[in-house]
Amino acid sequence: MAASCVITSPEEEHTPKLDLVTPLVFNPSMLNLQATIPNQFIWPDDEKPCLEAPELDVPLIDLQNFLAHSHSTLDASRLISEACYKHGFFLVVNHVISEQLISDAHEYMSRFFDMPLSEKQRIQRKAGESCGYASSFTGRFSTKLPWKETLSFQFCDDKSRPKNVQDYFCDALGHEFEPFGKVYQEYCEAMSSLSLKIMELLGINLGVSGDYFKSFFEENDSIMRLNYYPPCQKPDLTFGTGPHCDPTSLTILHQDHVHGLQVFVDNQWRSISPNPKAFVVNIGDTFMALSNNRYKSCLHRAVVNSKSERKSLAFFLCPKKDRVVKPPRELLDGNTPRRYPDFTWSMLLEFTQKHYRADMNTLQAFTDWLSNKPIQ
């Protein structure tokens, strides 16, 4: 697809539409009874999806030796470095995350999205917030809506709040949801641990201490998201998730068996096939700033289909909210000046939740916004 297919929307389309009198309710069981889909979900002709995309050759990184503290990390390091310089996507296998834990996380995700809409709306995501249940973000935007439901919640690697995910489910939905909370507490802890191991490799690749980025992301304030993409009767008109770069630092995604993830590489959309034994890892905007633009936050999207539902588990690694994001000295010299100003994750999160709809230009737009908003 030509690059013109991913040109960003006009500025007014980035501003959240928080003044809708009667927001559209995204209820797939009702919407699928209609011959077509509401106009709010239909994308412009020059941005519509290509449902069949050629496969992206994503490097497969075997973490077994690295996680066993072996010195045989050169191959993994080289493959990750090549991917991060080009498009920021790679797969990890032999990650020691329990298959049963992954299966349980998918099972409880299915149970949640199978609940009646009124039950899910008990933890409706509020305007300007990043956590809670969202039915296509209908309360925030009024055009180019995604054909999906999500449940997002915060994970804090904070010893003073050791069960923050479990507490969230119990406090928001009641103690009968404690099993949900236990599974996702364990899953987030595993994802946080895996993220820090990957950060060690990224630090080595960039020529800084292996502990530098690992230490930076300890006590992380991360986000876990459950994604549900229902079947859509007009999949050629809409997206499950529109083209965007993740504003976070690192994303660890586990897909079910249904295709849908696409990445924009070499001026073309490419697909990444599901692999039940692998996690898809990609660089986000915050780490692109940490690496002083050396590693790329790549444009990606999710397409839907008319026959099968699709689900995925996404862990978004984020630094502690008050930690200042700036590249280490080793990544700065006379030939590579600073590309982005200092900022904190809380500032970028505020920008994406209240002022801007994430796309391929989020980090530059945020940099422009920062010029009038100094760090407090």
Side-chain angles (χ1 to χ4, degrees):
M1 179 182 289
S4 62
C5 293
V6 295
I7 292 176
T8 56
S9 312
E11 180 61 31
E12 62 267 18
E13 292 196 5
H14 288 290
T15 305
K17 313 294 188 193
L18 302 178
D19 58 349
L20 299 178
V21 176
T22 308
L24 174 71
V25 175
F26 181 66
N27 188 341
S29 62
M30 299 298 295
L31 293 177
N32 277 327
L33 298 176
Q34 303 175 15
T36 189
I37 60 177
N39 288 333
Q40 294 95 322
F41 294 92
I42 298 176
W43 286 60
D45 288 342
D46 62 343
E47 297 180 51
K48 284 186 171 63
C50 306
L51 299 181
E52 299 295 331
E55 185 78 11
L56 177 65
D57 183 18
V58 188
L60 194 66
I61 311 301
D62 188 335
L63 293 182
Q64 184 173 22
N65 290 331
F66 181 73
L67 294 175
H69 304 287
S70 167
H71 293 291
S72 303
T73 61
L74 290 179
D75 285 344
S77 179
R78 177 182 57 81
L79 290 170
I80 289 177
S81 185
E82 289 175 358
C84 290
Y85 276 114
K86 186 173 184 180
H87 52 65
F89 273 78
F90 53 94
L91 303 180
V92 295
V93 294
N94 288 327
H95 41 66
V96 306
I97 309 300
S98 159
E99 289 185 9
Q100 186 61 55
L101 177 59
I102 296 171
S103 176
D104 289 346
H106 277 277
E107 170 63 25
Y108 279 100
M109 174 167 53
S110 295
R111 292 189 192 183
F112 177 81
F113 289 117
D114 284 345
M115 289 166 48
L117 180 61
S118 59
E119 287 294 300
K120 292 179 284 191
Q121 288 175 329
R122 289 167 55 196
I123 50 173
Q124 187 78 35
R125 182 169 166 177
K126 295 181 175 62
E129 295 186 359
S130 59
C131 295
Y133 168 73
S135 56
S136 184
F137 307 125
T138 54
R140 186 180 180 201
F141 303 111
S142 60
T143 61
K144 299 196 290 189
L145 295 178
W147 194 265
K148 69 175 179 179
E149 299 176 75
T150 63
L151 176 63
S152 307
F153 43 92
Q154 185 180 16
F155 167 76
C156 298
D157 185 17
D158 184 346
K159 292 180 174 59
S160 67
R161 298 172 57 199
K163 300 295 181 184
N164 49 84
V165 173
Q166 186 173 325
D167 292 343
Y168 171 78
F169 276 87
C170 291
D171 294 345
L173 290 168
H175 283 283
E176 63 270 27
F177 283 84
E178 185 175 9
F180 285 72
K182 286 183 175 179
V183 165
Y184 290 118
Q185 180 73 48
E186 184 179 355
Y187 189 87
C188 287
E189 290 170 359
M191 291 298 101
S192 178
S193 177
L194 178 58
S195 297
L196 297 184
K197 291 294 185 182
I198 294 172
M199 282 296 160
E200 286 188 66
L201 276 173
L202 296 181
I204 293 170
N205 294 345
L206 286 166
V208 301
S209 164
D211 290 332
Y212 183 88
F213 292 122
K214 179 182 177 183
S215 298
F216 185 86
F217 286 98
E218 287 176 345
E219 300 185 337
N220 57 84
D221 280 321
S222 297
I223 298 170
M224 181 72 205
R225 179 166 298 157
L226 316 181
N227 296 307
Y228 172 59
Y229 304 96
C232 177
Q233 64 270 48
K234 296 291 184 180
D236 56 326
L237 300 181
T238 191
F239 286 101
T241 302
H244 69 287
C245 297
D246 294 338
T248 49
S249 298
L250 190 77
T251 302
I252 302 181
L253 181 80
H254 193 272
Q255 306 184 79
D256 66 6
H257 63 284
V258 180
H259 287 69
L261 176 61
Q262 296 182 348
V263 182
F264 197 66
V265 181
D266 295 333
N267 209 38
Q268 184 181 27
W269 286 105
R270 303 288 191 91
S271 65
I272 297 181
S273 295
N275 181 338
K277 295 187 179 297
F279 288 104
V280 183
V281 181
N282 68 274
I283 302 297
D285 288 343
T286 301
F287 195 82
M288 186 163 71
L290 272 174
S291 73
N292 201 34
N293 211 52
R294 296 193 185 194
Y295 282 1
K296 303 305 178 186
S297 176
C298 190
L299 192 69
H300 57 285
R301 66 190 189 183
V303 298
V304 292
N305 67 84
S306 61
K307 297 179 180 179
S308 302
E309 64 184 16
R310 176 175 177 263
K311 300 186 184 75
S312 65
L313 301 160
F315 180 83
F316 301 101
L317 179 71
C318 313
K320 197 172 182 180
K321 288 185 178 178
D322 61 356
R323 189 153 290 170
V324 177
V325 176
K326 59 181 179 180
R329 291 190 300 272
E330 292 89 339
L331 301 183
L332 302 174
D333 56 44
N335 296 321
T336 53
R338 285 286 300 272
R339 292 294 301 270
Y340 307 102
D342 290 358
F343 63 90
T344 63
W345 165 238
S346 62
M347 297 177 71
L348 180 53
L349 181 63
E350 176 193 353
F351 179 70
T352 59
Q353 296 304 309
K354 297 181 179 180
H355 305 288
Y356 195 84
R357 186 173 185 172
D359 63 5
M360 65 187 297
N361 296 315
T362 302
L363 193 54
Q364 185 57 55
F366 174 62
T367 299
D368 296 340
W369 182 73
L370 276 181
S371 64
N372 296 315
K373 187 178 178 63
I375 295 178
Q376 299 297 319

